[in-house]
Amino acid sequence: MDELNLKALAKINIGLDVLRKREDGYHEVRMIMQTIHLFDRLHIKKTKEPGIQISSNLYYLPVNENNLIHKAAALLMDEFSITEGVEFRLEKHIPVAAGMAGGSTDAAAALYGMNQMFDLGLNMEQLKERGVKSGADVPYCLMRGTALAEGIGEKLTRLPEVPKCYVLIGKPGINVSTKTAYENLNLAGIGKHPDIDGLIRDIEDGDLYAMASKMENVFEPGIIRQYPVIGNIKELMEEKGALKAVMSGSGPTVFGIFDNRDKMA
């Protein structure tokens, strides 16, 4: 196997809570992750020339060690003493810096692809152990589906599929860094945390309407104060028939959950 073509799926957060700041500087989170059918395409090819080569359809993306694909590939090449080179061609469709794990899912695809192409023999748990070294969302992006993520996001519990629904994505022309999101989060001042346990029960019961009513993101108030356009998108989606519209991750992307595709038009 000298070439592979893979889909790297985006994610949204059905619910996102931050519990505390840890002594190591990371934050303890509790969130429900869901992959959606929006994806980047990653073409992987072995090369005779040693090293890692990355190209992309977006001129402003880094194609060096600052790209998570490079970080993930280098980790496996070093560990398994891979002497052949590898070339990655990334066709980017997931918005960048949007709270949808775009970089993490590309890294996950790189890990999965290299494991297959170089016949490394790693199972999913072993891939996830290596994935967290590239980023906290990478293990989930390898796992996909519906999952409860705890710890810094790397402790994953598989959940039943969410009830059938339609998802509309709205990404304003701004970028919000995760660092900014945490700086705008006043943990002591959070009056009401998202009901993650209630969301899990609603997913298990297959109750779309109850699930939608409980969807919340603890980052939203601080980020919307700084970027009111995010709140405007939420309001517009709900006016047009979304059961609920919520910011994904650290933003600024907003997703709306619909029970009817026609309402999304």
Side-chain angles (χ1 to χ4, degrees), residues 26 68 71-72 75 107 111 125-140 142 150 152-155:
Y26 288 98
L68 291 184
K71 189 173 182 179
L75 186 147
L111 288 170
E125 289 307 311
Q126 291 168 326
L127 279 174
K128 288 193 290 188
E129 287 169 11
R130 287 153 179 81
V132 75
K133 297 174 183 176
S134 299
D137 283 343
V138 177
Y140 167 72
L142 282 158
E150 298 175 288
I152 63 169
E154 87 290 7
K155 296 177 182 175

Side-chain angles (χ1 to χ4, degrees), residues 96-132:
V96 176
M100 302 185 75
S104 295
T105 195
D106 295 340
L111 288 170
Y112 176 86
M114 288 191 63
N115 185 48
Q116 296 293 310
M117 202 160 61
F118 291 98
D119 197 22
L120 303 181
L122 298 172
N123 62 30
M124 182 54 70
E125 289 307 311
Q126 291 168 326
L127 279 174
K128 288 193 290 188
E129 287 169 11
R130 287 153 179 81
V132 75

Side-chain angles (χ1 to χ4, degrees), residues 93-231:
H93 299 287
I94 302 169
V96 176
M100 302 185 75
S104 295
T105 195
D106 295 340
L111 288 170
Y112 176 86
M114 288 191 63
N115 185 48
Q116 296 293 310
M117 202 160 61
F118 291 98
D119 197 22
L120 303 181
L122 298 172
N123 62 30
M124 182 54 70
E125 289 307 311
Q126 291 168 326
L127 279 174
K128 288 193 290 188
E129 287 169 11
R130 287 153 179 81
V132 75
K133 297 174 183 176
S134 299
D137 283 343
V138 177
Y140 167 72
C141 291
L142 282 158
M143 178 179 173
R144 298 180 173 182
T146 313
L148 171 67
E150 298 175 288
I152 63 169
E154 87 290 7
K155 296 177 182 175
L156 300 169
T157 304
R158 174 76 68 191
L159 296 176
E161 290 182 4
V162 296
K164 182 181 177 182
C165 59
Y166 302 92
V167 179
L168 179 65
I169 300 296
K171 200 275 185 184
I174 55 174
N175 294 331
V176 179
S177 71
T178 303
K179 182 174 180 288
T180 298
Y182 278 108
E183 287 172 351
N184 281 277
L185 181 65
N186 176 14
L187 279 170
I190 297 172
K192 178 177 174 289
H193 284 266
D195 183 5
I196 301 298
D197 289 331
L199 277 168
I200 293 171
R201 285 194 299 272
D202 294 338
I203 291 169
E204 289 174 342
D205 292 343
D207 190 335
L208 175 64
Y209 300 96
M211 181 196 84
S213 72
K214 294 185 182 71
M215 295 193 315
E216 286 185 78
N217 182 338
V218 77
F219 285 123
E220 260 189 21
I223 297 298
I224 290 176
R225 275 195 300 272
Q226 192 168 355
Y227 302 103
V229 65
I230 296 170

